[in-house]
Amino acid sequence: MLIELGNLWTTVLHYSQDEWEFLHENLTFVDPRVHYVPAMKNMPPTRLFSKKKGGFPAGLTPIIVRDARAAGFDVEVADRRTPPTPVADANLKWLRDYQMDAIKAVERRKRGILWLPTGAGKTEIAIGIMRRYPGKWLFVAHKKGLMYQAAERYNLRLAEHDEDGEEAGLCGDGKWEPSDVTMATFQTLASKRKTEAFEELVEGMTGIIVDECHTLPADSFYRTIMGIDCQLRIGVSGTPLARGDKRSLMAVAALGPTIHRLKTDVLVEAGVLAKPRIRMIEVEQKDPQRSNWQSTYKAGVVQGKRRNRALVLAAAEAAKPCLLFVKQVNHGKGLLKDLKEAGVPTEFVWGDKSQKVRERAIHRLVHGDTDVLICSVIFQEGTDIPDLRSVVIGSAGKSVIAAIQRVGRGMRKVEGKDDFEVWDIADKGIPALEKHARARARAYLREGYEVVMEDGLQQTLNGVR
């Protein structure tokens, strides 16, 4: 088999019939939800070999070459591209050693995913990569808040180390103001993808960096990134390959495989992060035997008396300040009422609240005006509260990505904070909730977190039916 590398596609120039069948088998996957979600049962397989392109997405090349050789095929790889040259004297003295390790991985591999936990300084690493390879860069995020944070951090480092440089441009939140280094949102780029403005933006691009790259497999996001031709293609995430639908492969296809992983315990040992301790509270409930997930969730989570009592007890006992995560507004309102009746100063913010309202609520929380802030997924990403001492997971669910992100909200270390409490529910009695709770517990253990069963609240719960 003879293949030729490109920035976006790897072209298969010569193959036998057996090799053709190998490629098609290994570049096709079925979403596992077709087996248990009725509405998806007729969903066709995703095929990543393109007849039109005569090959497959270039990010998959290392995997395909490895697997083809393991299967006994001879693979010859041609690469006629000129690799970019890093600037040896780029001023990166502000970076920590473990951040430089990530940049060195990029220098070796040129493309791929940096698996970095919350607190690793993903934006700082991204800026370091851009300074090592000066040129035209695009930093892409899926939320405007992350875009603005990246621009602010870039401009800060620019002011410190390069007074003559140009500040970051913005393409998102109604703005189209590109620069040599542009921070953008997927949504804005996708809306402009077939326009002249987009072509001008991406022409001559040195590299792209995709923040929270586990979101890239969304169809419009993936198409957008596959429309940007550059050799340096980097993704960063604390949970890059944790999707349950096999579509993590799309992030690999667009960017490349994992080229560097930094584990949480390294940052704990370095004194950068507080050590998380997961306290699981066992809550037994009677199975409501509802016909679908939505009604089961409503009965077992939103209206589950024993479960909500456990959440109130956990939030009351947890170290303060504390975040309590919920998924639905009605659930948050109910817990707000219960916590206030229990004498716990509490607020609730959700998706329709402005950024200023959210910031003021956080300010009141960290300054002791409130003890508990109930929040929806709006605080799941891009909101770091170093003074936070605990998180209570009230939202249930099986998402490994969401579970790890919620833990990460308060792991940044400050003076006097060596560990960090996370309270979660070990559901029993309702099969779907029980299965999801086990998935979250496994995710915590895989991250190296300490997980314990919390027995202290069981006696109090025994009287709640």
Side-chain angles (χ1 to χ4, degrees):
M1 187 190 311
L2 173 62
I3 62 175
E4 182 175 11
L5 298 182
N7 293 332
L8 295 175
W9 294 88
T10 290
T11 306
V12 184
L13 300 176
H14 177 75
Y15 50 82
S16 66
Q17 181 62 36
D18 287 344
E19 290 167 339
W20 171 263
E21 292 175 0
F22 166 85
L23 288 170
H24 277 269
E25 180 179 350
N26 283 267
L27 290 164
T28 301
F29 71 90
V30 176
D31 189 320
R33 292 175 296 176
V34 302
H35 302 300
Y36 57 86
V37 178
M40 301 178 70
K41 66 179 181 180
N42 294 321
M43 176 183 287
T46 298
R47 304 184 189 280
L48 293 176
F49 190 95
S50 169
K51 290 183 179 179
K52 182 178 180 181
K53 301 290 186 180
F56 52 88
L60 296 170
T61 305
I63 298 171
I64 293 298
V65 170
R66 178 200 66 197
D67 291 350
R69 287 172 175 165
F73 299 114
D74 291 326
V75 183
E76 183 180 347
V77 181
D79 185 1
R80 298 179 178 86
R81 299 172 299 168
T82 301
T85 303
V87 175
D89 60 351
N91 186 351
L92 304 178
K93 292 181 180 179
W94 80 87
L95 293 173
R96 296 171 182 262
D97 289 345
Y98 60 79
Q99 294 170 331
M100 282 302 304
D101 289 341
I103 294 173
K104 290 174 183 176
V106 172
E107 292 176 6
R108 290 192 300 271
R109 301 286 293 275
K110 305 298 186 291
R111 65 180 299 156
I113 293 170
L114 301 176
W115 189 336
L116 306 169
T118 298
K122 293 191 285 288
T123 306
E124 297 285 4
I125 291 170
I127 295 169
I129 295 168
M130 294 172 184
R131 291 183 66 84
R132 187 67 96 189
Y133 292 92
K136 190 174 181 181
W137 279 92
L138 187 62
F139 180 96
V140 190
H142 71 297
K143 290 184 178 180
K144 63 182 181 181
L146 298 174
M147 175 190 73
Y148 284 122
Q149 288 175 24
E152 181 181 2
R153 178 58 59 176
Y154 179 85
N155 292 338
L156 174 65
R157 293 304 180 194
L158 189 74
E160 292 174 345
H161 302 288
D162 189 2
E163 294 180 357
D164 297 328
E166 190 174 76
E167 289 194 343
L170 295 172
C171 288
D173 194 25
K175 298 178 175 62
W176 191 265
E177 303 164 356
S179 181
D180 287 341
V181 172
T182 302
M183 312 305 182
T185 63
F186 271 120
Q187 293 83 351
T188 295
L189 292 181
S191 70
K192 297 273 192 177
R193 188 166 60 90
K194 296 184 178 181
T195 67
E196 185 176 339
F198 180 84
E199 293 301 322
E200 291 177 357
L201 172 69
V202 303
E203 184 179 2
M205 191 67 66
T206 303
I208 56 172
I209 298 176
V210 181
D211 191 26
E212 304 294 358
C213 64
H214 56 268
T215 64
L216 192 154
D219 287 340
S220 62
F221 294 1
Y222 175 77
R223 287 194 296 268
T224 299
I225 294 302
M226 289 299 287
I228 303 172
D229 190 349
C230 58
Q231 190 169 351
L232 295 172
R233 308 173 68 83
I234 307 301
V236 293
S237 174
T239 52
L241 306 175
R243 294 175 64 102
D245 57 5
K246 289 191 176 183
R247 290 185 64 84
S248 293
L249 190 62
M250 307 301 287
V252 177
L255 301 170
T258 300
I259 58 174
H260 180 72
R261 182 178 184 185
L262 177 64
K263 293 190 176 182
T264 302
D265 57 2
V266 174
L267 298 183
V268 171
E269 291 174 7
V272 177
L273 297 183
K275 183 178 181 179
R277 188 170 191 254
I278 317 296
R279 304 172 72 167
M280 304 291 292
I281 310 167
E282 186 173 300
V283 175
E284 180 87 30
Q285 295 188 94
K286 185 177 180 181
D287 186 0
Q289 297 184 338
R290 298 293 194 263
S291 59
N292 57 50
W293 166 245
Q294 288 78 11
S295 57
T296 298
Y297 189 87
K298 181 178 179 181
V301 177
V302 178
Q303 298 176 348
K305 290 183 179 180
R306 284 178 60 82
R307 197 179 200 282
N308 286 328
R309 178 59 175 162
L311 293 174
V312 170
L313 291 171
E317 184 170 327
K320 307 298 186 297
C322 169
L323 276 187
L324 196 168
F325 281 99
V326 296
K327 184 178 181 181
Q328 296 186 5
V329 172
N330 287 343
H331 192 199
K333 289 180 176 179
L335 289 170
L336 176 64
K337 177 176 178 292
D338 292 343
L339 280 163
K340 285 186 172 181
E341 288 178 353
V344 181
T346 307
E347 279 192 79
F348 176 36
V349 291
W350 60 96
D352 64 353
K353 300 299 181 182
S354 69
Q355 186 64 30
K356 285 188 177 180
V357 169
R358 301 175 194 181
E359 290 172 357
R360 289 168 184 163
I362 292 174
H363 182 272
R364 288 189 289 271
L365 179 70
V366 299
H367 285 81
D369 298 319
T370 53
D371 285 346
V372 177
L373 180 58
I374 304 172
C375 59
S376 61
V377 294
I378 59 173
F379 285 172
Q380 190 168 292
E381 293 177 315
T383 302
D384 294 316
I385 310 175
D387 292 305
L388 198 67
R389 299 302 171 112
S390 65
V391 161
V392 178
I393 311 296
S395 48
K398 65 179 179 179
S399 172
V400 170
I401 292 174
I404 300 306
Q405 286 175 337
R406 289 166 188 151
V407 175
R409 291 315 92 210
M411 286 176 60
R412 292 189 189 274
K413 195 170 181 180
V414 294
E415 186 177 353
K417 176 182 171 183
D418 294 320
D419 51 24
F420 180 66
E421 292 182 11
V422 179
W423 298 72
D424 200 347
I425 304 298
D427 291 286
K428 301 291 181 183
I430 302 177
L433 296 184
E434 191 169 337
K435 179 180 178 181
H436 295 172
R438 289 197 300 269
R440 295 195 304 276
R442 287 195 298 269
Y444 300 143
L445 290 168
R446 281 196 299 269
E447 288 295 312
Y449 303 156
E450 179 186 6
V451 179
V452 299
M453 293 304 300
E454 178 57 50
D455 298 324
L457 302 180
Q458 299 303 130
Q459 292 294 328
T460 310
L461 281 174
N462 286 341
V464 182
R465 298 186 179 279

